[in-house]
Amino acid sequence: MTASTRTKRSTARPLVITLVVIIVVAALGFAYASPYIALNNLKRAADARDAQTVNQYVDFPALRDSLKQQIAGLLSRRLDLDSNSKLATIGAVIGVTLLGPLVDAYATPDGVAALLNGMPPHGDPGERPPEQSAANNPPAAAAAAEAPASPAAADAANHADTNAAPPQRQSTAGYRGLNEFVVTYRRGTGDAHYSAIFRREGLFTWKLAAIDLNE
């Protein structure tokens, strides 16, 4: 082996090590960022009602099971809290009988869009996800739906809406373990929250797999 050959090999070795380190660091960085990327891609696809892309980021069988359990629990707690109100009890019982249709309605791109825009199911009989315009702009849609009939009242309401601060819907997003990523949303104006739960499939793939309405 000549001196020049040894020199070339000794020069190439640090370059190879540096390249390997860069690749490893880049892979780890992408692995860490992958649930954030999945959340962004899923929200865009759901808002656009791109069913094909939504299917890539949602584990619908797992999401359906989670919705069924969570909504059933929501209705059960409502029965316990409103046990003295006959009308509330009747409404909750009706909600239980309509649990399947409600789950079917939310285990869709429309339902996913609602869940990722701060509008979870409330367990009301006949409830369905908001329309696309409502999901993309919940405060504006709610204001339009509740607008009073008289022009004067409408002007006053619009003025109040203009001065009011927009509600903050998304609260936190981050890892809850190596294979679970959670996005927590404010639910209403109080301290109640709900969470959309993503689970890892493989090294870089994440899918929406559950909803927690008990936060």
Side-chain angles (χ1 to χ4, degrees), residues 153-211:
D155 289 339
N158 290 335
H159 181 71
D161 289 340
T162 301
N163 293 334
Q168 184 179 1
R169 293 184 300 281
Q170 183 171 319
S171 178
T172 59
Y175 281 87
R176 191 165 69 185
L178 182 63
N179 298 316
E180 194 167 87
F181 181 83
V182 179
V183 188
T184 302
Y185 299 84
R186 299 182 192 277
R187 184 170 186 169
T189 56
D191 294 330
H193 294 73
Y194 78 98
S195 298
I197 301 169
F198 288 73
R199 296 198 174 111
R200 186 193 297 272
E201 292 188 3
L203 184 59
F204 301 116
T205 302
W206 293 81
K207 289 189 176 183
L208 176 63
I211 294 293

Side-chain angles (χ1 to χ4, degrees), residues 20 22 54 73 75 77 80 82 95 100 132 152 157 168 173 182 214:
V20 170
I22 291 173
V54 168
L75 294 172
R77 292 191 298 276
D80 292 338
D82 298 331
Q132 183 172 356
Q168 184 179 1
V182 179
N214 300 323

Side-chain angles (χ1 to χ4, degrees), residues 39-71:
L39 170 63
N40 181 65
N41 290 344
L42 175 57
K43 189 175 184 307
R44 284 187 174 186
D47 287 343
R49 301 310 188 267
D50 180 354
Q52 184 175 357
T53 302
V54 168
N55 287 336
Q56 297 175 10
Y57 291 99
V58 180
D59 182 347
F60 276 110
L63 180 62
R64 287 177 60 84
D65 289 342
S66 176
L67 282 167
K68 188 178 297 183
Q69 294 174 7
Q70 292 293 312
I71 295 172

Side-chain angles (χ1 to χ4, degrees), residues 132-144:
Q132 183 172 356
S133 58
N136 290 336
N137 193 4

Side-chain angles (χ1 to χ4, degrees), residues 63-158:
L63 180 62
R64 287 177 60 84
D65 289 342
S66 176
L67 282 167
K68 188 178 297 183
Q69 294 174 7
Q70 292 293 312
I71 295 172
L74 188 66
L75 294 172
S76 178
R77 292 191 298 276
R78 187 176 300 171
L79 281 172
D80 292 338
L81 292 174
D82 298 331
S83 58
N84 295 327
S85 172
K86 292 183 179 180
L87 288 177
T89 300
I90 292 172
V93 171
I94 293 173
V96 170
T97 63
L98 297 177
L99 181 60
L102 200 160
V103 170
D104 290 340
Y106 271 85
T108 62
D110 282 343
V112 171
L115 293 171
L116 298 182
N117 280 286
M119 294 178 287
H122 297 281
D124 299 326
E127 183 180 4
R128 296 187 62 82
E131 297 295 332
Q132 183 172 356
S133 58
N136 290 336
N137 193 4
E146 297 173 1
S150 66
D155 289 339
N158 290 335

